[in-house]
Amino acid sequence: MLGNFTYCNPTKLYFGKDALDGLNEELPKYGKNVLLVYGGGSIKKNGIYDKVVAILKANGKEIFEDAGVMPNPTVDKLNEGIERARAAKADLILAVGGGSVCDYAKAVSVSVNCNDDPWDKYFIRFEEPTCYIIPVGCVLTMVGTGSEMNGGSVITNHGQKLKIGHVFGEEVFPKFSVLNPEFTFTLPKYQMVSGIYDIMSHILEQYFSGTDDSTSDYISEGLLRSLIHSANIAVENPRDYEARSNIMWTATWALNTLVAKGKTTDWMVHMLGQSVGAHTDATHGMTLAAVSMPYYRYILPYGTAKFARFAVNVWGVNPEGKTQSQIAYEGLEVMEAWMKKIGLVMNITELGATEDMLDGMVKSTRIMDGGYKILSEADVRDILKASY
Amino acid sequence: MLGNFTYCNPTKLYFGKDALDGLNEELPKYGKNVLLVYGGGSIKKNGIYDKVVAILKANGKEIFEDAGVMPNPTVDKLNEGIERARAAKADLILAVGGGSVCDYAKAVSVSVNCNDDPWDKYFIRFEEPTCYIIPVGCVLTMVGTGSEMNGGSVITNHGQKLKIGHVFGEEVFPKFSVLNPEFTFTLPKYQMVSGIYDIMSHILEQYFSGTDDSTSDYISEGLLRSLIHSANIAVENPRDYEARSNIMWTATWALNTLVAKGKTTDWMVHMLGQSVGAHTDATHGMTLAAVSMPYYRYILPYGTAKFARFAVNVWGVNPEGKTQSQIAYEGLEVMEAWMKKIGLVMNITELGATEDMLDGMVKSTRIMDGGYKILSEADVRDILKASY
């Protein structure tokens, strides 16, 4: 770990089958008005909505609703949510849902008391909040983004064909998050494996960068091995509590700043995937899956040693009698086979990308500079073309 | 991860060569009176004392000194420190040193405003603080205990021949800690490798428990692999910044509650080692090293599967054609050889334990119930005898 860094993660987590009881400890810390933010209403079908509302009422809260947060929350919805939070004079924003709902709640939280246009300020100019931030709490019902313990917030602007994430500082992290693995049981398999790959991608974005020696990479390898092991079980039996709980916990630690400490990071898979998402509105994790293999095969020659380490330490490739490059490529083959096996979408065509979108996707792909190769626009085009 | 748990770790860490600058961010948050706690004066020789004092003065603080904290802080010293903190009307206790100094600072922090006898209240009756706790900050100069980001505090009572640790809740964690790997460069090798084994033992105490499937164990394996890798480098070249920084970071994460989440834990090596320490005043990590092999060989038959996993995943034992028990024992052999190689003390005789101490050590060994075998007094005796 060669650089200077700070670490602070103040989010309090309540984990397990009884995690929702944590609300009774947290709610008394905040004022009366709670903006209850959720998505398309699946929490009404599975009973989580009723449980949360009962606890809010028992704690004497006035509930203001902000429903209909979509999987890729839009800037239009954000502007609506800001108005709702203002009208409610919200003391607390309680997000009940997956990463999108939690991301959205954070974007509202930094915008309610902000006079600037939030899209321009936070997602185009990447400025930090200077206003009072409404506290956010989260009850997680979908696993993947890590939004429950970080400052990340991704918003999509369909008009501008842009999907952009801002990673806010610890003052924007949820004050608390409720993680009950059982709440994820009813999720369709497509969403579950998409979330699993989102987790894997988060770890890989931080792992595939740098040639230095860092404890963070060893932690990442541990998380990846646990994720693969538990994903294999969960795909066969989605109601395996132990596997779902390990996946949930791995998701949190995959993107709560820990495994990036002391390291450079990549994030090009997310930039490519978000560009695909902005044009297709496809499920986030699937966009990452669909571009990953073309991207990693493209950059492998620039980071062969790390890809070889990945092959051996994460995928159990036997290195005997092979060149580093052979080991590295074999690791990606094993990974690709596993991705197919658990049911990930392996090309962007299946996600709705058409040939005419290519130019737009190339243009809206933000180039990051921490990976093993800084991509040119031509590189981005090659990778996206190979992803069809 | 089968149980319910909460996670919250509010300590802010400043890490790297410039970490001490973090004091300028933290000190303005506290009142004028700072109790500066340190050990035998090595921080005066290596210049850290002067740097800290300069920053304190630049921040307008009044400095009250509490020097002479010994490697195993005693209850007599604790009582002296409480009086000093009271006389200083300390607004902040700044611990500059290793785990002992930080442990001691925490014990003072919970005792200054407490009317009960702190030894009886916290270390015999294991009660929680009910008084105002003086905030603690830490500038770490020795690595191992993890005290910089947890609620642990170990105090020794020579009169009662007891060395007891209390793990306090998050309200007792240091508010901030400064981790500069360079501050550990001048430490004698004996202390360095003792700290390295303290880290390893912390991880193993949490790893060798339970038969369930837990992400925490995968994280532990990653931390162990990083530790072994960096320890091998640091033993050859103690001024290798990268290795020392990885060891420092691993120490923090080995015992800041993360790798125990969702798990049962053991802690019998610490109970045995602390009993040896209470009788010999030997260096903490060495007491752990000296009892580990006899303990692990004793309990291996009750947790063979985990010891076999440990052998393969941490020590790279090739499992082919071997029984699980053979793999497990081979892992301990590889570990033992590594322990000898880096210079750990492998028996308690060398630490000053004599035959006549055995009865006392057996009696003062606290029995924990989370390991693969709940020990009887006869078991403790057998293990300690095998440790001579």
Side-chain angles (χ1 to χ4, degrees):
Chain A
M1 319 199 93
L2 293 175
N4 287 292
F5 62 84
T6 60
Y7 178 89
C8 185
N9 196 324
T11 303
K12 176 143 191 172
L13 303 176
Y14 295 86
F15 194 100
K17 293 180 185 179
D18 302 327
L20 204 56
D21 295 344
L23 287 184
N24 291 311
E25 287 188 45
E26 293 300 322
L27 292 175
K29 298 178 187 169
Y30 304 95
K32 201 169 188 274
N33 300 332
V34 176
L35 186 72
L36 183 62
V37 174
Y38 57 99
S42 64
I43 60 166
K44 290 196 173 169
K45 284 182 214 140
N46 59 26
I48 297 170
Y49 175 87
D50 288 339
K51 284 181 192 163
V52 170
V53 165
I55 296 173
L56 285 168
K57 285 187 178 163
N59 281 274
K61 301 299 180 186
E62 183 132 7
I63 304 169
F64 299 84
E65 300 227 350
D66 181 9
V69 181
M70 57 290 286
N72 293 313
T74 64
V75 70
D76 293 339
K77 177 64 189 166
L78 171 60
N79 287 327
E80 182 202 318
I82 295 165
E83 289 313 314
R84 283 180 186 270
R86 283 176 183 158
K89 294 193 184 357
D91 297 305
L92 173 72
I93 303 175
L94 186 62
V96 183
S100 300
V101 175
C102 193
D103 276 24
Y104 167 84
K106 282 182 255 181
V108 172
S109 81
V110 294
S111 304
V112 175
N113 299 301
C114 168
N115 293 323
D116 288 344
D117 177 84
W119 172 257
D120 288 343
K121 180 180 172 73
Y122 297 125
F123 298 94
I124 297 296
R125 299 198 305 269
F126 287 97
E127 290 175 16
E128 296 311 312
T130 47
C131 56
Y132 173 73
I133 301 160
I134 313 283
V136 170
C138 168
V139 176
L140 202 65
T141 64
M142 242 168 99
V143 162
T145 70
S147 192
E148 66 274 15
M149 203 190 192
N150 68 31
S153 177
V154 184
I155 297 294
T156 297
N157 186 322
H158 285 302
Q160 298 179 13
K161 293 266 183 227
L162 289 172
K163 179 178 174 180
I164 297 176
H166 185 136
V167 180
F168 291 99
E170 66 212 39
E171 68 281 2
V172 184
F173 287 27
K175 301 300 174 207
F176 62 89
S177 286
V178 168
L179 283 71
N180 182 342
E182 289 181 331
F183 288 180
T184 69
F185 279 2
T186 54
L187 204 66
K189 189 184 167 193
Y190 186 88
Q191 304 298 333
M192 179 183 78
V193 296
S194 171
I196 286 168
Y197 193 74
D198 195 18
I199 302 166
M200 179 169 280
S201 182
H202 290 157
I203 304 172
L204 298 182
E205 298 274 33
Q206 299 165 90
Y207 181 79
F208 282 125
S209 179
T211 54
D212 51 333
D213 177 31
S214 170
T215 299
S216 293
D217 287 336
Y218 288 87
I219 300 173
S220 285
E221 289 168 349
L223 290 173
L224 286 166
R225 289 162 61 101
S226 177
L227 179 65
I228 295 162
H229 171 76
S230 291
N232 289 339
I233 297 167
V235 165
E236 291 299 317
N237 178 14
R239 300 185 85 85
D240 186 297
Y241 180 86
E242 203 167 49
R244 296 304 286 270
S245 70
N246 284 328
I247 293 169
M248 194 171 220
W249 193 236
T250 301
T252 300
W253 288 89
L255 195 59
N256 66 2
T257 82
L258 175 65
V259 300
K261 288 301 164 189
K263 278 186 61 72
T264 53
T265 55
D266 182 349
W267 293 108
M268 268 319 297
V269 168
H270 269 67
M271 295 306 108
L272 291 159
Q274 284 175 196
S275 188
V276 173
H279 287 74
T280 60
D281 211 29
T283 303
H284 174 64
M286 292 303 187
T287 67
L288 305 176
V291 302
S292 279
M293 280 300 141
Y295 175 67
Y296 286 132
R297 291 211 164 96
Y298 202 89
I299 65 160
L300 185 148
Y302 306 91
T304 308
K306 193 63 162 284
F307 280 93
R309 171 178 166 170
F310 173 64
V312 174
N313 291 357
V314 176
W315 296 104
V317 168
N318 181 350
E320 255 174 78
K322 296 168 196 162
T323 67
Q324 210 168 44
S325 177
Q326 286 172 328
I327 299 164
Y329 279 110
E330 191 178 326
L332 290 187
E333 274 162 39
V334 177
M335 177 173 160
E336 187 174 35
W338 178 83
M339 289 171 75
K340 288 178 181 166
K341 192 189 80 179
I342 69 164
L344 289 163
V345 176
M346 300 303 284
N347 65 77
I348 62 175
T349 309
E350 206 178 310
L351 296 175
T354 49
E355 289 294 336
D356 61 300
M357 290 177 187
L358 180 61
D359 285 348
M361 290 194 299
V362 171
K363 275 218 168 51
S364 65
T365 299
R366 202 171 142 210
I367 306 285
M368 309 299 276
D369 64 0
Y372 286 121
K373 181 183 195 320
I374 300 180
L375 301 185
S376 66
E377 201 177 289
D379 293 330
V380 169
R381 181 176 296 274
D382 285 349
I383 293 162
L384 284 173
K385 267 175 118 170
S387 303
Y388 274 93
Chain B
M1 322 200 91
L2 292 176
N4 287 292
F5 62 84
T6 61
Y7 178 90
C8 184
N9 196 324
T11 303
K12 176 142 191 172
L13 303 176
Y14 295 86
F15 194 98
K17 291 178 184 179
D18 302 327
L20 205 57
D21 295 345
L23 287 184
N24 290 313
E25 288 188 46
E26 294 299 322
L27 291 174
K29 298 179 188 170
Y30 305 95
K32 202 170 189 270
N33 300 332
V34 176
L35 187 71
L36 182 62
V37 175
Y38 57 100
S42 63
I43 61 166
K44 291 198 173 170
K45 283 182 214 145
N46 60 25
I48 297 171
Y49 174 88
D50 289 339
K51 285 181 191 165
V52 169
V53 164
I55 296 173
L56 285 168
K57 285 186 179 163
N59 281 274
K61 302 298 180 185
E62 182 131 10
I63 303 168
F64 299 84
E65 301 227 349
D66 181 10
V69 181
M70 57 291 287
N72 293 313
T74 63
V75 69
D76 293 340
K77 177 65 189 166
L78 171 59
N79 288 325
E80 182 201 317
I82 295 165
E83 288 314 313
R84 282 181 186 270
R86 284 176 183 160
K89 293 192 186 356
D91 298 305
L92 173 72
I93 303 174
L94 186 63
V96 182
S100 300
V101 175
C102 194
D103 275 25
Y104 167 85
K106 283 183 254 180
V108 172
S109 80
V110 295
S111 304
V112 174
N113 299 300
C114 168
N115 293 322
D116 287 344
D117 178 83
W119 173 257
D120 288 342
K121 180 179 172 72
Y122 298 125
F123 299 92
I124 296 295
R125 298 198 305 268
F126 287 97
E127 290 174 17
E128 296 311 311
T130 46
C131 57
Y132 173 72
I133 300 160
I134 313 283
V136 169
C138 169
V139 176
L140 202 65
T141 63
M142 242 167 98
V143 162
T145 71
S147 192
E148 64 275 16
M149 203 190 192
N150 67 33
S153 178
V154 184
I155 297 295
T156 298
N157 187 321
H158 285 301
Q160 298 179 14
K161 292 267 184 230
L162 289 172
K163 180 177 174 182
I164 297 175
H166 186 138
V167 181
F168 291 101
E170 67 212 38
E171 67 281 3
V172 183
F173 287 27
K175 302 298 174 208
F176 61 88
S177 286
V178 169
L179 282 71
N180 181 341
E182 290 181 332
F183 288 0
T184 69
F185 279 2
T186 53
L187 203 65
K189 189 184 167 191
Y190 187 88
Q191 304 297 333
M192 180 183 77
V193 296
S194 171
I196 287 168
Y197 193 75
D198 195 16
I199 302 167
M200 179 168 282
S201 182
H202 290 157
I203 304 172
L204 298 183
E205 299 273 34
Q206 298 166 92
Y207 181 78
F208 283 125
S209 179
T211 54
D212 50 333
D213 176 31
S214 171
T215 298
S216 293
D217 288 335
Y218 288 86
I219 300 173
S220 285
E221 286 168 353
L223 290 172
L224 286 166
R225 288 162 62 104
S226 178
L227 178 66
I228 294 162
H229 171 77
S230 291
N232 289 339
I233 297 168
V235 166
E236 291 301 316
N237 179 13
R239 300 184 85 87
D240 186 296
Y241 180 86
E242 202 167 48
R244 297 303 288 268
S245 69
N246 285 327
I247 293 169
M248 194 171 219
W249 193 237
T250 301
T252 300
W253 289 89
L255 195 59
N256 66 2
T257 80
L258 176 65
V259 299
K261 288 301 163 189
K263 279 185 58 73
T264 53
T265 55
D266 181 348
W267 294 109
M268 267 321 296
V269 167
H270 268 68
M271 294 307 108
L272 291 159
Q274 284 175 196
S275 187
V276 173
H279 288 76
T280 61
D281 211 28
T283 304
H284 174 64
M286 292 304 187
T287 66
L288 306 176
V291 302
S292 280
M293 280 300 142
Y295 175 67
Y296 286 133
R297 293 210 163 97
Y298 203 89
I299 65 159
L300 186 148
Y302 306 92
T304 308
K306 192 63 162 284
F307 280 93
R309 170 178 168 170
F310 174 64
V312 174
N313 291 358
V314 176
W315 296 103
V317 169
N318 182 350
E320 256 174 76
K322 296 169 195 161
T323 67
Q324 208 168 46
S325 177
Q326 284 171 331
I327 299 164
Y329 278 110
E330 191 177 326
L332 289 186
E333 274 162 39
V334 178
M335 175 172 161
E336 187 174 36
W338 178 82
M339 289 172 75
K340 287 178 183 167
K341 191 188 81 180
I342 70 165
L344 289 162
V345 176
M346 300 303 283
N347 64 77
I348 61 175
T349 310
E350 206 178 309
L351 297 174
T354 48
E355 290 294 336
D356 60 300
M357 289 177 187
L358 181 61
D359 285 347
M361 292 194 299
V362 172
K363 274 215 168 55
S364 66
T365 299
R366 201 172 141 211
I367 306 287
M368 309 298 276
D369 62 1
Y372 287 121
K373 181 184 194 319
I374 301 180
L375 302 185
S376 66
E377 201 178 288
D379 293 330
V380 170
R381 180 176 296 274
D382 283 350
I383 293 163
L384 284 173
K385 268 174 116 169
S387 304
Y388 274 93

